[in-house]
């Protein structure tokens, strides 16, 4: 990054000590694209250099101090309405006013930032720099409790920030990293078995082999048709990601269909059994995240959908827990990261997810 001031400019760069050997991981950005970042785990040390390259060798750079920070931050944004309302002309705020006749537009409020990790290292006291130089830094055994995440309304990021304090404008350089949280195999991982249907019309029994799956796992199950008096023509399983942000009355839910898996095309008969085998490795999934720093949650549901010949949809949702398996990468991890990978979060029992349009023991239709 360059700073153009009175007489001197400087290029700031952040270099990791183990950049050549450290693994990189793909991570989705806010615009939906993917980029590769250096991958870290909870408990690993973050060390490197802050490099300052002066553009004009014969001139000095005055500063009020140089520092580097390691920051874990949650940023949330929500969609609001802005409209031209008569009260706005009287000096009153026009945001969030309900307009029926006035022109309105949508905007995203991105002002909500929360830092859950904030570490600072001072690299130089106030003074001046006469030549290009580099400053070493080290953040030892850094706590990184949550997984990096970019969603519809929230972003959890970790980054290094180098700052040269100046009287007029600071010179700032940031470098993002990606953090993965690792888990061991859950001790309790019971199967899911339920009987659902519509009274005197449809009665089915579905079974999934587990309730907790790692991100490269395979969902194995069966669908049993005990009573069929509706002409079903199609059946599929959807993987639904539900992102929840906010608290109290200001809670926002975003549902995203990650995958659609067709398990039947045609009319089933009584006594028929349909097998399910769904590979998760091909989809963009994250571990289940529950009440992260009391800011947001990410949950996953298997949505069983049946469609009849009149295009009516019947469905039943069941929550499952997703987790990141740590055994594969443990050999290449540092000692402190291997210890951190022993943790398993999200082992609480699963409740039945119910919405008004679901299949149940009574009539239910979407």
């Amino acid at each position: 990054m360059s700073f153009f001031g009175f007489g001197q400019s400087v290029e700031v760069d952040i270099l990791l000590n183990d950049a050549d050997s450290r693994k990189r991981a793909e991570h989705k950005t806010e615009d939906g694209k993917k980029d590769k970042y250096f991958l870290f785990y909870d408990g690993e040390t973050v060390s490197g250099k802050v490099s300052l390259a002066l553009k004009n060798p014969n001139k000095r750079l005055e500063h009020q101090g140089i520092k580097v920070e390691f920051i874990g931050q949650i940023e949330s944004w929500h969609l609001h309405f802005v409209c031209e309302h008569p009260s706005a002309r009287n000096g009153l705020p026009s945001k969030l006013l309900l307009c029926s006749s006035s022109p309105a537009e949508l905007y995203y409020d991105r002002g909500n930032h929360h830092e859950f990790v904030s570490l600072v290292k001072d690299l130089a006291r106030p003074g001046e720099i006469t030549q290009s130089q580099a400053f070493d830094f080290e953040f030892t055994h850094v706590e990184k409790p949550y997984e990096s995440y970019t969603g519809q309304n929230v972003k959890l990021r970790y980054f290094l920030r180098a700052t040269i304090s100046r009287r007029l404008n600071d010179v700032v350089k940031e470098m993002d990293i990606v953090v993965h949280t690792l888990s061991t195999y859950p001790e309790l991982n019971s199967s899911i078995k339920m009987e659902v249907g519509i009274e005197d019309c449809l009665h089915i029994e579905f079974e999934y082999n587990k309730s907790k799956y790692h991100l490269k796992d395979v969902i194995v199950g069966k669908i049993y048709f005990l009573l069929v008096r509706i002409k079903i023509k199609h059946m599929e399983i959807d993987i639904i990601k539900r992102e929840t942000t906010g608290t109290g009355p200001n809670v926002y839910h975003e549902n995203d269909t990650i995958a659609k898996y067709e398990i039947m095309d045609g009319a089933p008969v009584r006594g028929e059994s349909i097998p399910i085998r769904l590979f998760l490795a091909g989809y963009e999934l994250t571990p289940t995240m529950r009440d992260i720093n009391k800011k947001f949650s990410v949950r996953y549901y298997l949505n069983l959908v049946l469609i009849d010949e009149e295009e009516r949809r019947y469905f039943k949702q069941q929550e499952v827990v997703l987790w990141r398996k740590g055994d594969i990468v443990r050999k290449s991890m540092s000692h402190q990261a291997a210890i951190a990978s022993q943790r398993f979060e999200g082992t609480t029992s699963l409740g039945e997810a119910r919405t008004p349009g679901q299949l149940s023991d009574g009539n239910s239709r979407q």
Side-chain angles (χ1 to χ4, degrees):
M1 179 178 181
S2 297
F3 173 81
F4 300 94
F6 296 98
Q8 184 59 281
S9 61
V10 59
E11 186 81 16
V12 182
D13 201 6
I14 302 175
L15 307 172
L16 296 179
N17 287 339
D18 56 354
D20 293 336
S21 59
R22 180 163 292 277
K23 184 179 178 181
R24 292 172 179 258
E26 282 192 345
H27 189 72
K28 186 174 69 173
T29 58
E30 292 180 30
D31 57 4
K33 298 180 181 179
K34 287 185 178 180
D35 205 350
K36 286 191 173 183
Y37 302 89
F38 289 109
L39 176 61
F40 284 84
Y41 301 95
D42 183 20
E44 282 194 297
T45 295
V46 182
S47 62
K49 294 180 175 62
V50 174
S51 174
L52 307 183
L54 298 183
K55 296 296 184 180
N56 301 314
N58 298 325
K59 296 181 180 180
R60 64 186 182 180
L61 175 70
E62 296 182 353
H63 64 87
Q64 305 302 313
I66 303 173
K67 66 180 180 180
V68 62
E69 302 167 88
F70 181 87
I71 296 175
Q73 183 184 84
I74 297 175
E75 177 186 359
S76 60
W77 55 89
H78 299 106
L79 194 62
H80 296 297
F81 288 95
V82 178
C83 62
E84 290 296 331
H85 194 273
S87 61
R89 303 189 187 99
N90 298 326
L92 299 177
S94 61
K95 296 180 180 179
L96 304 181
L97 294 173
L98 296 178
C99 305
S100 57
S101 57
S102 302
E105 63 179 3
L106 301 176
Y107 83 104
Y108 280 95
D109 179 9
R110 304 181 65 90
N112 191 358
H113 293 77
H114 173 74
E115 293 182 0
F116 57 89
V117 176
S118 181
L119 305 175
V120 183
K121 296 283 186 181
D122 291 321
L123 303 179
R125 296 180 178 180
E128 59 183 36
I129 298 175
T130 58
Q131 61 183 0
S132 300
Q133 58 183 297
F135 299 90
D136 294 326
F137 68 87
E138 180 176 271
F139 296 101
T140 307
H141 305 329
V142 182
E143 181 183 3
K144 312 175 198 71
Y146 311 122
E147 175 123 352
S148 298
Y149 176 76
T150 301
Q152 298 289 331
N153 292 322
V154 68
K155 179 178 182 179
L156 190 152
R157 62 186 287 240
Y158 296 87
F159 60 97
L160 290 162
R161 180 166 62 199
T163 304
I164 303 176
S165 298
R166 302 268 294 181
R167 289 182 179 179
L168 297 179
N169 297 96
D170 293 343
V171 184
V172 179
K173 172 71 174 182
E174 293 184 353
M175 185 183 76
D176 281 79
I177 65 170
V178 165
V179 171
H180 284 175
T181 57
L182 303 179
S183 305
T184 55
Y185 192 86
E187 296 180 1
L188 298 177
N189 198 357
S190 58
S191 62
I192 300 173
K193 186 175 182 180
M194 298 184 66
E195 292 185 9
V196 296
I198 302 173
E199 187 176 359
D200 296 330
C201 295
L202 179 67
H203 189 190
I204 63 175
E205 179 181 278
F206 67 87
E207 181 177 4
Y208 304 122
N209 62 328
K210 293 184 289 188
S211 57
K212 303 177 179 70
Y213 298 89
H214 63 77
L215 299 184
K216 306 297 182 182
D217 216 334
V218 182
I219 297 175
V220 178
K222 287 185 178 181
I223 306 293
Y224 302 93
F225 289 88
L226 306 178
L227 176 65
V228 183
R229 292 179 179 173
I230 298 177
K231 294 182 179 179
I232 302 295
K233 72 171 186 177
H234 178 78
M235 187 187 332
E236 67 184 25
I237 285 185
D238 303 337
I239 300 177
I240 307 295
K241 182 179 78 171
R242 180 171 299 162
E243 176 186 291
T244 303
T245 56
T247 57
N250 300 318
V251 174
Y252 298 83
H253 298 285
E254 289 285 349
N255 290 340
D256 187 14
T257 302
I258 303 298
K260 288 180 177 289
Y261 177 73
E262 183 181 83
I263 57 178
M264 187 195 71
D265 187 14
V269 297
R270 180 179 177 181
E272 188 171 359
S273 175
I274 307 295
I276 300 172
R277 196 170 184 86
L278 175 58
F279 292 83
L280 299 179
Y283 302 108
E284 295 182 11
L285 302 170
T286 68
T288 294
M289 309 170 79
R290 285 199 175 105
D291 198 21
I292 299 300
N293 209 246
K294 298 182 179 180
K295 299 296 180 181
F296 72 97
S297 298
V298 179
R299 297 171 183 263
Y300 288 89
Y301 298 86
L302 296 179
N303 192 32
L304 177 64
V305 181
L306 291 83
I307 304 174
D308 65 15
E309 292 185 348
E310 298 180 6
E311 298 299 328
R312 292 175 297 193
R313 299 169 64 90
Y314 310 88
F315 70 100
K316 181 68 177 180
Q317 278 190 3
Q318 176 64 48
E319 184 181 2
V320 293
V321 171
L322 300 185
W323 54 283
R324 187 180 297 279
K325 192 175 182 180
D327 296 335
I328 298 177
V329 299
R330 187 169 292 129
K331 291 182 180 180
S332 62
M333 290 166 54
S334 62
H335 176 68
Q336 61 266 33
I339 295 175
S341 71
Q342 299 297 323
R343 304 174 184 173
F344 176 74
E345 298 180 358
T347 57
T348 55
S349 60
L350 294 175
E352 181 181 348
R354 303 295 297 266
T355 61
Q358 293 177 308
L359 286 172
S360 64
D361 292 334
N363 291 335
S364 178
R365 195 167 60 205
Q366 184 180 4

